[in-house]
């Protein structure tokens, strides 16, 4: 006997209406969607705990992952975050105004500039990442380490198939 959840009830209801259809994909994808929605909530809370929005975290995290001195061109940041260059310019201005990045002339290209992570930006993005990892670990507490590795492997495969 299974312990039905909302997805089971949804799939069962559809299976009753369309018994000739295999609803396994709906079962899997509906669960992924619900997990993704929960993840968005966890991430937003982790970012808020460091006084960052999601987009601010994305840009600061890209800079933090870059080798010291943690600087990138707007074009590099656009590629790393999948944000358009026009939007990136506006975001960099906002981050600079908050003191989370510094902007300086690009010595390799006189027409562009570089964004460099400040100590404050690094502290905030590190705090957000630590809060995020802790909350995600709490969400995954029901799975063993082996199950988490298996799930990561399966999701990697699924991610490749949709790329």
């Amino acid at each position: 006997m299974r312990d039905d959840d909302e997805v089971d009830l949804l799939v069962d209801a559809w299976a009753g209406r369309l018994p000739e259809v295999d609803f396994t994909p709906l079962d899997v994808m509906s669960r992924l969607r619900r997990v993704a929605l929960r993840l968005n909530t966890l991430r937003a809370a982790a970012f808020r705990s460091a006084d960052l929005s999601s987009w601010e975290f994305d840009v600061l995290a890209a800079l933090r992952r870059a080798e010291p001195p943690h600087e990138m061109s707007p074009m590099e940041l656009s590629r790393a975050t999948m944000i358009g260059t026009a939007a990136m310019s506006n975001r960099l201005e906002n981050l600079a105004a908050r003191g989370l990045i510094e902007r300086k002339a690009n010595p390799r290209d006189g027409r562009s500039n570089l964004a460099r992570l400040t100590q404050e930006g690094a502290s905030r993005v590190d705090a957000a990442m630590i809060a995020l990892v802790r909350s995600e670990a709490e969400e995954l507490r029901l799975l063993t380490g082996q199950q988490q590795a298996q799930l990561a492997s399966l999701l990697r495969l699924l991610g490749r198939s949709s790329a």
Side-chain angles (χ1 to χ4, degrees), residues 1-62:
M1 174 121 191
R2 69 180 192 198
D3 187 17
D4 285 354
D5 64 9
E6 291 175 12
V7 174
D8 291 320
L9 298 174
L10 174 109
V11 169
D12 289 348
W14 274 110
R17 301 297 178 271
L18 301 169
E20 69 282 2
V21 175
D22 176 7
F23 284 98
T24 303
L26 182 68
D27 191 12
V28 172
M29 293 303 195
S30 293
R31 290 176 198 291
L32 280 175
R33 181 178 178 275
R34 290 167 190 267
V35 170
L37 291 172
R38 178 69 182 139
L39 178 60
N40 285 340
T41 301
L42 289 175
R43 288 184 170 217
F47 304 153
R48 264 194 316 277
S49 75
D51 193 28
L52 296 174
S53 67
S54 293
W55 71 262
E56 289 172 322
F57 175 84
D58 289 344
V59 173
L60 296 175

Side-chain angles (χ1 to χ4, degrees), residues 41-99:
T41 301
L42 289 175
R43 288 184 170 217
F47 304 153
R48 264 194 316 277
S49 75
D51 193 28
L52 296 174
S53 67
S54 293
W55 71 262
E56 289 172 322
F57 175 84
D58 289 344
V59 173
L60 296 175
L63 287 167
R64 185 69 168 116
R65 290 188 309 268
E67 291 298 319
H70 306 293
E71 64 185 21
M72 297 171 78
S73 71
M75 184 65 71
E76 291 168 325
L77 282 166
S78 289
R79 274 189 244 116
T81 59
M82 296 184 286
I83 296 169
T85 54
M88 182 57 70
S89 259
N90 186 31
R91 290 175 180 198
L92 292 176
E93 286 176 25
N94 289 330
L95 289 169
R98 291 190 61 198

